[in-house]
Amino acid sequence: MTSTHEPAGTPTGAAETKIPQQGPSAFDDVHPPQRELLDDCVHCGFCLPTCPTYVLWGEEMDSPRGRILLMDLAEKGDIGLDGPFTEHMDNCLGCMACVTACPSGVQYDKLLESVRPQIERNVPRSASDKLFRDAIFALFPYKRRLRAAALPGALYQQLRKVPAIRRLAEKLPGQLAAMESLLPPVSVREAFATLPVHTPAVGTRRARVALLTGCVQDVFFHRVNEATVRVLAAEGCDVLVPRDQQCCGALEVHAGREESALDRARRTIARFETLDVDAVVTNVAGCGSSMKDYGHLLADDPAWADRAARFSARCRDVHEVLAELYSREDDGGPRAPRTPVTGRVAYHDACHLGHAQGVRNQPREVLRTIPELELVDIAEASLCCGSAGIYNMVKPDAAADLGVRKAEKIRDAKPEVVVTANPGCLLQIGKYLPNEDFADVPLLHPVQLLDASIRGAAVPQR
């Protein structure tokens, strides 16, 4: 579906065109896009060069302003939600780069957040697409299921080294091939490891925090959580890790599965709100962006609105916590001694950290506390790598184009280490970055590098 964003004028002397009667809105009455938010867009085009799908295809309806136009037409009842409308909304990565770029303050994030549940409720998906999406959400939000999957996953990764099995894997169809290729390195020991419920601060306590461990993060990237606890404790934080915490609902929020996402939000609030802490800390960009938005997501729920707002106000990304400690007037600055980490380190801005949360400077400030580290920028830093929650599984072709593009920009920076604060980004970059020159470049979360410096340990390989 193509369209220009400006209506053509009526030629002088032409017969007056009768405007057809506007029909009822195509949206149902559960949180439809708000008219005032739709009207904020002036179609200026500043969003276009920041939008991954517009950069790839140059298609107006696959730009933020084009999608807002589609929302506007659907709200007026001029088009339905099926067909092209759903196609163009599904094509959106939800990276929110357009929100950062927009000079008019258009809240595209809130518009997309309201539209995706409309599609999930009102537009039937094909049997194969529905089955694939259902399978994703039957697995990823559940730590126990992920741990159970780690056992055959570890075995499969060993078997995949066999040429015949590798050839079979390479013949899998699109979405299954994408999921298979993104399988993280599986360590059964790490998958079943747990963090201490309480880790005391080293020296005088400066803060008391609770850590959300995440789902995929805790099972497949447990080393990141271990490093996070060690760094926070070394910098003077008591760290609490509730053993019975569950999924925060971020993946479902981003995919429009509103009802189950809000249930998970309520459970997360109920578990953490009873803790006497200064902040609820996340080290996953996607989780943090959703948790900080609970106040908005539950704003019209009388029983939860105030509780959600209070909870969201306490949520902090780990880099924010560290940067705040370093800037304190009383005992600010890094407390833990650092050992040098020499070499070029490229920092990739995860979209849900940089765009959705506005946390851009803090990770760089934290990394610059490491002696002798050379922090280098990546060209097109604001452009998504193609991970975007479940996007690289449900839209593998577009995600592959973006992954290849991001990998090229990273290679151009010639880093010896790449760091980013989201497991999805680590998997996506890890899929497309390696070549003969970059086969052994470590891909890490920033806190892993900081942890290595504090402990005087070698830079980990993952």
Side-chain angles (χ1 to χ4, degrees):
M1 178 176 179
T2 58
S3 172
T4 56
H5 66 281
E6 295 179 351
T10 302
T12 304
E16 182 179 351
T17 302
K18 184 177 181 180
I19 305 298
Q21 181 71 32
Q22 177 179 311
S25 172
F27 299 115
D28 63 35
D29 59 1
V30 181
H31 303 141
Q34 297 177 32
R35 168 49 54 189
E36 56 268 30
L37 298 186
L38 293 170
D39 289 342
D40 284 339
C41 180
V42 297
H43 305 283
C44 65
F46 276 91
C47 60
L48 299 183
T50 72
C51 175
T53 50
Y54 185 82
V55 168
L56 288 180
W57 306 322
E59 165 60 62
E60 180 67 24
M61 292 301 110
D62 281 315
S63 74
R65 71 178 183 186
R67 293 187 179 104
I68 291 175
L69 175 60
L70 290 174
M71 296 176 198
D72 179 76
L73 293 172
E75 196 275 335
K76 293 175 179 176
D78 293 340
I79 61 173
L81 301 186
D82 57 347
F85 182 93
T86 291
E87 176 187 346
H88 292 300
M89 297 304 157
D90 280 354
N91 284 341
C92 178
L93 289 95
C95 69
M96 304 310 160
C98 55
V99 177
T100 300
C102 181
S104 302
V106 175
Q107 297 180 61
Y108 180 82
D109 52 340
K110 298 296 186 287
L111 290 170
L112 185 67
E113 179 185 284
S114 65
V115 163
R116 283 196 159 152
Q118 295 278 341
I119 291 173
E120 294 306 306
R121 285 193 298 268
N122 299 308
V123 180
R125 294 193 178 275
S126 68
S128 59
D129 191 23
K130 183 179 185 303
L131 181 62
F132 186 73
R133 290 170 182 261
D134 287 347
I136 289 173
F137 289 106
L139 175 63
F140 284 90
Y142 300 94
K143 284 188 188 181
R144 290 182 180 178
R145 297 177 190 179
L146 286 171
R147 288 187 173 118
L151 296 171
L155 176 62
Y156 170 75
Q157 288 187 332
Q158 293 303 312
L159 292 175
R160 200 183 189 282
K161 298 175 183 178
V162 178
I165 293 179
R166 186 167 60 249
R167 286 194 294 271
L168 285 174
E170 291 169 353
K171 294 179 180 179
L172 288 171
Q175 290 182 331
L176 288 176
M179 180 178 282
E180 188 273 343
S181 66
L182 290 164
L183 182 68
V186 178
S187 164
V188 174
R189 184 194 67 81
E190 288 185 31
F192 285 85
T194 57
L195 296 168
V197 174
H198 174 227
T199 301
V202 176
T204 304
R205 188 176 78 189
R206 297 204 280 184
R208 182 177 170 88
V209 302
L211 176 67
L212 180 100
T213 55
C215 302
V216 171
Q217 182 83 328
D218 201 35
V219 176
F220 297 113
F221 293 88
H222 188 77
R223 292 184 185 185
V224 176
N225 283 342
E226 291 177 332
T228 300
V229 170
R230 286 194 296 262
V231 167
L232 288 170
E235 294 295 4
C237 296
D238 269 359
V239 185
L240 305 182
V241 182
R243 193 58 60 79
D244 56 345
Q245 60 180 285
Q246 299 180 38
C247 175
C248 68
L251 277 180
E252 290 167 318
V253 168
H254 302 154
R257 298 195 166 209
E258 187 173 51
E259 185 175 350
S260 56
L262 295 184
D263 284 343
R264 296 188 192 281
R266 294 183 187 101
R267 286 198 292 267
T268 301
I269 294 167
R271 183 63 193 90
F272 282 89
E273 69 181 353
T274 60
L275 301 178
D276 180 19
V277 294
D278 303 302
V280 178
V281 179
T282 65
N283 57 16
V284 178
C287 297
S289 67
S290 291
M291 291 164 63
K292 289 180 178 181
D293 205 34
Y294 282 176
H296 168 74
L297 293 172
L298 292 167
D300 60 355
D301 186 332
W304 288 90
D306 290 341
R307 295 168 69 179
R310 287 193 298 269
F311 175 84
S312 290
R314 287 200 299 169
C315 291
R316 294 286 187 280
D317 180 75
V318 62
H319 302 99
E320 290 182 288
V321 172
L322 293 171
E324 289 168 8
L325 290 175
Y326 299 163
S327 64
R328 285 170 57 161
E329 294 183 1
D330 49 359
D331 60 346
R335 173 181 291 181
R338 270 82 159 143
T339 57
V341 175
T342 58
R344 293 169 61 85
V345 176
Y347 174 73
H348 163 68
D349 287 275
C351 293
H352 277 92
L353 189 60
H355 297 307
Q357 298 185 54
V359 177
R360 300 183 186 86
N361 294 329
Q362 295 93 325
R364 292 172 169 85
E365 292 170 7
V366 168
L367 287 167
R368 289 190 179 105
T369 67
I370 300 174
E372 300 183 20
L373 182 146
E374 182 185 359
L375 193 61
V376 297
D377 291 327
I378 300 170
E380 294 185 348
S382 65
L383 200 68
C384 184
C385 68
S387 173
I390 66 169
Y391 191 89
N392 53 2
M393 291 182 281
V394 298
K395 294 287 183 179
D397 293 339
D401 290 341
L402 292 168
V404 169
R405 188 182 183 114
K406 180 63 67 174
E408 290 173 350
K409 301 303 180 184
I410 293 174
R411 293 190 201 105
D412 289 344
K414 297 179 173 58
E416 294 164 84
V417 179
V418 178
V419 293
T420 187
N422 200 56
C425 299
L426 288 170
L427 293 175
Q428 178 79 348
I429 293 170
K431 178 179 178 179
Y432 293 101
L433 182 63
N435 63 11
E436 60 184 14
D437 297 321
F438 285 84
D440 299 320
V441 172
L443 303 175
L444 305 171
H445 192 289
V447 296
Q448 290 179 278
L449 208 57
L450 182 57
D451 176 56
S453 175
I454 291 172
R455 293 190 296 128
V459 173
Q461 290 304 300
R462 71 172 182 90

